[in-house]
Amino acid sequence: MVITSAPGKVILFGEHAVVYGEPALAGAIDRRVYVHATKIPSGVKIVSDKSKDFRYAKKAVELAFDYTGRKCGLDIKVDSELPPASGLGSSAAVSVATILAVSKLLGAKLSRAEIAKLGHRAELEVQGAASPTDTAISTFGGVLFIQPKKQKYQRINATLPMVVGYTGIERSTKMLVQNVKSLKEKFPEIVNPIIKDIGKITREAKRRLENNEDVGELMNINHGLLDALGVSTEKLNELVYAARNAGAKGAKLTGAGGGGCMIAYAPKNAEKVARAIEKCGCAALKTGISGEGVRVAFKYNN
Ligand code: PMV
């Protein structure tokens, strides 16, 4: 049997603007998905408490069989520390951890680049459209500067203590991206500069992270612009202000918005910030942004 794990992700800067070719910064978090896989005589059995995870695991198994040209009977169990549809990248983590687990049981050696590619394909086939960001972060770990036009990922050496606040409200990334597109078409002269400014913020954040400088204020500006694009909500704003009032150096929504999660950069006051988020009736998780990518956690040859 083999147990693999892969991290979830947060977008630190640049969501929505990345859809229009601006860069984004995203990082792996310390919360992971675990896939337990065992060879059985025949058939593929998948157990997961979340129906969404089940679909990604099933697709990942099919793709791993196809890609390696090998097959076996499988018993798979998915355990996740990530809430689904929250923007924390749970489907990408399930996909890449399953691909690694199945490839190990089949005796096939896949590179990280191959795992990321297959994981992205699993996401595309299950949900129709998906950017390769989540599967890249989940596979490689760490913090990545993403340049969509060049299809390039640059690793940034940064470790950031963050508090993630989860509103508990599920949302559709597709719908929120569509809303921003409509606003952009209605007011191009106003919305295009906002998107360009988010790109500038992301480039400046990269420069500061590489020099070990504070990015709190840039997070606040980024949040204000995302709110202007209409993707924040009253609850997300409440959490952002609660975090700042509790001593966070910066706070912003993360991912598509409309619910889901926010992040607070709180190097000194993480505990206080987490309590302030909980006081708003939401879950808080303290996490480092530097997590290790997909890996084998346990392997037993039988
Ligand atoms: O909701 P998430 O975390 O999957 O993030 C979506 C990020 C967007 O920029 C809004 C969309 C995208 O495909 O990049």
Side-chain angles (χ1 to χ4, degrees):
M1 83 162 306
V2 63
I3 303 175
T4 56
S5 78
K9 69 96 187 39
V10 289
I11 296 181
L12 300 166
F13 290 95
E15 47 275 90
H16 287 288
V18 71
V19 174
Y20 301 100
E22 296 298 329
L25 270 165
I29 59 174
D30 298 340
R31 296 290 171 117
R32 304 178 75 87
V33 162
Y34 294 84
V35 170
H36 306 240
T38 311
K39 265 190 190 175
I40 55 172
S42 64
V44 176
K45 205 175 116 202
I46 301 172
V47 181
S48 157
D49 1 332
K50 294 169 188 141
S51 60
K52 206 170 165 239
D53 290 350
F54 174 86
R55 284 187 287 140
Y56 290 94
K58 186 165 174 278
K59 181 53 74 182
V61 169
E62 285 168 24
L63 290 172
F65 283 173
D66 269 8
Y67 191 77
T68 59
R70 302 177 199 178
K71 254 184 168 179
C72 67
L74 286 172
D75 187 335
I76 288 186
K77 185 169 166 285
V78 181
D79 269 337
S80 178
E81 297 172 341
L82 299 164
S86 59
L88 295 181
S90 85
S91 56
V94 170
S95 303
V96 302
T98 305
I99 288 162
L100 179 63
V102 176
S103 68
K104 288 286 169 197
L105 288 182
L106 294 172
K109 222 173 155 31
L110 299 187
S111 67
R112 281 191 192 265
E114 288 174 304
I115 294 171
K117 223 171 169 181
L118 283 175
H120 181 220
R121 204 183 307 157
E123 289 225 294
L124 278 177
E125 291 191 18
V126 174
Q127 65 202 33
S131 91
T133 308
D134 289 17
T135 35
I137 296 274
S138 210
T139 304
F140 294 103
V143 176
L144 298 180
F145 181 69
I146 298 142
Q147 292 166 280
K149 280 187 190 153
K150 299 184 189 157
Q151 299 217 348
K152 257 177 70 181
Y153 300 97
Q154 183 185 339
R155 185 178 283 277
I156 308 293
N157 273 331
T159 39
L160 291 162
M162 288 277 171
V163 181
V164 178
Y166 176 44
T167 60
I169 302 164
E170 293 196 7
R171 81 289 180 279
S172 148
T173 297
K174 198 171 162 185
M175 209 179 83
L176 287 145
V177 168
Q178 184 54 49
N179 292 351
V180 172
K181 186 166 176 252
S182 306
L183 198 69
K184 188 175 176 303
E185 282 164 4
K186 194 167 177 187
F187 303 110
E189 306 268 312
I190 298 165
V191 173
N192 289 340
I194 296 179
I195 287 169
K196 290 261 170 286
D197 278 346
I198 293 178
K200 285 181 200 158
I201 293 168
T202 306
R203 285 185 205 93
E204 174 63 7
K206 170 183 181 275
R207 193 196 64 74
R208 294 183 77 91
L209 285 176
E210 286 173 332
N211 291 296
N212 263 323
E213 291 170 34
D214 189 340
V215 292
E217 283 163 304
L218 291 175
M219 286 174 72
N220 292 341
I221 304 171
N222 196 165
H223 181 76
L225 294 179
L226 287 166
D227 199 7
L229 292 179
V231 297
S232 193
T233 63
E234 208 176 329
K235 197 73 197 171
L236 281 168
N237 286 351
E238 185 188 343
L239 297 188
V240 162
Y241 279 92
R244 289 180 194 162
N245 291 338
K249 286 190 156 188
K252 64 181 275 293
L253 70 84
T254 180
C261 293
M262 51 74 70
I263 48 174
Y265 174 50
K268 293 207 180 93
N269 301 302
E271 195 52 55
K272 208 170 152 210
V273 168
R275 276 203 305 273
I277 288 168
E278 282 162 2
K279 261 200 188 147
C280 301
C282 292
L285 43 117
K286 286 180 283 167
T287 175
I289 309 289
S290 67
E292 207 188 328
V294 68
R295 65 176 157 87
V296 173
F298 176 80
K299 191 165 189 289
Y300 177 73
N301 290 318
N302 55 348

